[in-house]
Amino acid sequence: MKKINLLIWSCFFILSQGLMAQIEGEVIKPYKANFLLTNAKIHTVTNGILENHDLLIEEGLIKAIGKSIPHQNHTIIDCSGKSLYPGFIDSGTSLGIVEVNSLSETQDYMELGKFTPQMQALTVVNPNGVAIPVTRVSGVTTVLTQPRGGYFPGTAALINLNGYTPAQMFGGFKGLIMNFPSAARSGSNDSRSLEDLEKAATKNLDEINVLWEKATTYLKIKTKGGEMDYYPEMEQLSRVLNKELPLLIEVNAAKDIISALEWIKEKDVKVVFTGVAEGWKVAEKIASAGVPVITGPVLALPTRNSDNYDAPYNNPALLQKAGVKVALRTMEAENVRNLPFNAGFAAAYGMGTTEALKAITINPAEIFGVSDRIGSLEKGKKATLFIADGDPFEPKTQIQQVFINGYRIPMTNRHIRLYQEFLDREMQPN
């Protein structure tokens, strides 16, 4: 039923956008061509900043970066006084699987039950979601969209924010989400004693260990060629055991982070910690374990009343300075566009602009194993980038053009069209 309602909403939004385009007298869509971006300040991320350089885009790839690049039949875009950045990556969102947070009919991020690892976020991505154009014109071109709820709620997928189908949007990475049992209070209304919290966490972890043992047995039987009934849950979890999929462990309280580090010592699997709101308290231990971290949102309240107001702002910097590879996320559906400002706060509170930029470009690309395609501006990588008239962490900066996999993205969305419609209103005769 949710999927049917989501389809109805999608059709409504598509029709409304199509009508607006007809009213404006043109059809607006992404298109692919060969482009030469000239005289730009290029923030490569991995090779420093190049002043007054050109960038050549052909067949969706960055073909060359240099000065006075020869060209033929290319669309030339003069970037004098402007900067080029790689497209930003949000490493944890609900974009594409939630349309309106306050409307349950448009939400498709959770299934019934505590153990549904086989559920694929990519399957339910809505390429026509209205929040997608809103997000990408802000320079955010790629996101990890993920399910929620239960021990193993499903498999997250990296998507690029352009395409007609989920398959066309797929960014080349999937990871299994695990919610690590917490011994912390779930909120101000949680009146359980510390002893009860510990008992609940232990019980939940015991249940996870039982599932893990079953998956281990399943994989052993499968490896030896044994016959088994169809068991999609164990099939998906066994892909983590054989290192085909990484395990993205959501854990936030400092005590829970220590428990999670102990738990993974016995597990020979690829692990990434997500959330890690109190990572600053145990940053050295995370660094010693060599576990990369996806943290955020940065624009958040402290987890405890006793913590300083700026604890979430400082968290990425303290993790990074301890030696942890850090990527940032917003955990939003409608306001993923605020990712640059989350990074801006992290930069201002100790991370610095250079490291904050890496946390939303090359770091997540490396964590997701797609750094050969995105995350920096280098020859041979996908032409996923944007042109800005200033520092994208500053609210006054305007993103003037976005490219995703070589497609020139229309710099419009429902918000912009409504703004334009009401900017110069004229009184209509009665």
Side-chain angles (χ1 to χ4, degrees), residues 118-189:
Q118 77 281 12
M119 295 302 173
Q120 301 285 334
L122 185 65
T123 302
V124 296
V125 166
N126 176 18
N128 301 301
V130 173
I132 289 177
V134 173
T135 300
R136 66 192 183 191
V137 299
S138 298
V140 183
T141 58
T142 306
V143 305
L144 183 75
T145 189
Q146 61 184 72
R148 286 180 273 168
Y151 298 148
F152 295 93
T155 302
L158 192 69
I159 58 172
N160 296 310
L161 301 186
N162 182 43
Y164 291 107
T165 66
Q168 289 177 347
M169 298 174 73
F170 181 51
F173 169 84
K174 290 184 178 182
L176 186 63
I177 302 294
M178 173 185 169
N179 290 310
F180 196 82
S182 178
R185 299 189 189 281
S186 58
S188 58
N189 294 325

Side-chain angles (χ1 to χ4, degrees), residues 1-3 5-6 9 103-107:
M1 182 61 71
K2 279 189 177 182
K3 291 181 180 179
N5 287 325
L6 185 57
W9 270 90
L103 196 63
S104 61
E105 290 86 351
T106 71
Q107 300 171 0

Side-chain angles (χ1 to χ4, degrees), residues 24-261:
E24 294 168 1
E26 60 179 327
V27 176
I28 302 171
K29 60 186 291 186
Y31 71 93
K32 201 170 191 177
N34 294 330
F35 301 94
L36 180 63
L37 313 183
T38 62
N39 306 313
K41 183 178 183 179
I42 302 179
H43 296 256
T44 67
V45 176
T46 51
N47 295 306
I49 299 174
L50 306 176
E51 298 281 357
N52 296 317
H53 272 60
D54 302 342
L55 186 145
L56 186 69
I57 299 174
E58 289 182 357
E59 300 175 352
L61 300 175
I62 299 173
K63 283 292 185 178
I65 297 176
K67 291 189 175 183
S68 302
I69 297 176
H71 61 88
Q72 186 176 12
N73 298 325
H74 288 68
T75 300
I76 299 176
I77 301 175
D78 184 9
C79 300
S80 298
K82 301 179 178 63
S83 296
L84 301 187
Y85 288 86
F88 290 163
I89 304 169
D90 191 321
S91 299
T93 75
S94 298
L95 188 65
I97 59 178
V98 173
E99 197 67 36
V100 182
N101 265 323
S102 59
L103 196 63
S104 61
E105 290 86 351
T106 71
Q107 300 171 0
D108 208 355
Y109 61 82
M110 185 184 301
E111 296 293 333
L112 295 175
K114 295 180 180 180
F115 184 53
T116 56
Q118 77 281 12
M119 295 302 173
Q120 301 285 334
L122 185 65
T123 302
V124 296
V125 166
N126 176 18
N128 301 301
V130 173
I132 289 177
V134 173
T135 300
R136 66 192 183 191
V137 299
S138 298
V140 183
T141 58
T142 306
V143 305
L144 183 75
T145 189
Q146 61 184 72
R148 286 180 273 168
Y151 298 148
F152 295 93
T155 302
L158 192 69
I159 58 172
N160 296 310
L161 301 186
N162 182 43
Y164 291 107
T165 66
Q168 289 177 347
M169 298 174 73
F170 181 51
F173 169 84
K174 290 184 178 182
L176 186 63
I177 302 294
M178 173 185 169
N179 290 310
F180 196 82
S182 178
R185 299 189 189 281
S186 58
S188 58
N189 294 325
D190 190 343
S191 59
R192 290 177 295 172
S193 67
L194 294 178
E195 184 180 358
D196 287 342
L197 290 169
E198 289 284 355
K199 285 181 179 179
T202 300
K203 177 178 177 294
N204 292 338
L205 188 57
D206 287 343
E207 291 181 9
I208 288 175
N209 286 332
V210 169
L211 293 170
W212 197 270
E213 286 302 318
K214 289 179 69 174
T216 302
T217 303
Y218 177 93
L219 182 60
K220 288 178 180 178
I221 296 172
K222 179 182 176 182
T223 303
K224 293 180 180 179
E227 295 185 6
M228 295 172 290
D229 293 333
Y230 179 60
Y231 204 158
E233 294 90 341
M234 290 302 160
E235 178 66 27
Q236 189 69 352
L237 189 52
S238 69
R239 295 179 66 197
V240 173
L241 295 176
N242 65 15
K243 299 184 180 180
E244 187 179 345
L245 279 179
L247 188 64
L248 308 180
I249 301 178
E250 179 74 16
V251 58
N252 284 288
K255 188 174 182 179
D256 296 335
I257 294 170
I258 298 298
S259 298
L261 289 172

Side-chain angles (χ1 to χ4, degrees), residues 18-26:
L19 286 171
M20 292 187 76
Q22 289 177 18
I23 290 170
E24 294 168 1
E26 60 179 327

Side-chain angles (χ1 to χ4, degrees), residues 205-379:
L205 188 57
D206 287 343
E207 291 181 9
I208 288 175
N209 286 332
V210 169
L211 293 170
W212 197 270
E213 286 302 318
K214 289 179 69 174
T216 302
T217 303
Y218 177 93
L219 182 60
K220 288 178 180 178
I221 296 172
K222 179 182 176 182
T223 303
K224 293 180 180 179
E227 295 185 6
M228 295 172 290
D229 293 333
Y230 179 60
Y231 204 158
E233 294 90 341
M234 290 302 160
E235 178 66 27
Q236 189 69 352
L237 189 52
S238 69
R239 295 179 66 197
V240 173
L241 295 176
N242 65 15
K243 299 184 180 180
E244 187 179 345
L245 279 179
L247 188 64
L248 308 180
I249 301 178
E250 179 74 16
V251 58
N252 284 288
K255 188 174 182 179
D256 296 335
I257 294 170
I258 298 298
S259 298
L261 289 172
E262 290 295 323
W263 186 77
I264 65 172
K265 279 183 180 179
E266 306 170 1
K267 313 292 188 295
D268 184 23
V269 296
K270 299 177 183 177
V271 173
V272 179
F273 280 177
T274 65
V276 200
E278 295 184 359
W280 57 278
K281 297 181 178 180
V282 290
E284 290 77 13
K285 294 183 182 296
I286 300 172
S288 296
V291 178
V293 161
I294 297 169
T295 189
V298 178
L299 299 176
L301 294 173
T303 54
R304 303 173 192 271
N305 292 333
S306 56
D307 291 338
N308 290 336
Y309 77 93
D310 58 357
Y313 310 156
N314 289 315
N315 188 40
L318 294 174
L319 285 165
Q320 179 262 321
K321 289 177 180 178
V324 180
K325 184 182 288 293
V326 178
L328 300 181
R329 68 178 189 180
T330 62
M331 282 307 288
E332 290 275 8
E334 295 136 332
N335 288 312
V336 183
R337 58 182 175 169
N338 288 330
L339 176 67
F341 309 133
N342 279 260
F345 265 73
Y349 281 81
M351 201 172 198
T353 303
T354 300
E355 292 300 327
L357 181 60
K358 288 180 180 179
I360 55 174
T361 53
I362 194 63
N363 284 2
E366 290 175 349
I367 290 171
F368 300 143
V370 293
S371 59
D372 60 328
R373 284 171 266 181
I374 59 174
S376 63
L377 298 181
E378 299 178 60
K379 181 181 177 180

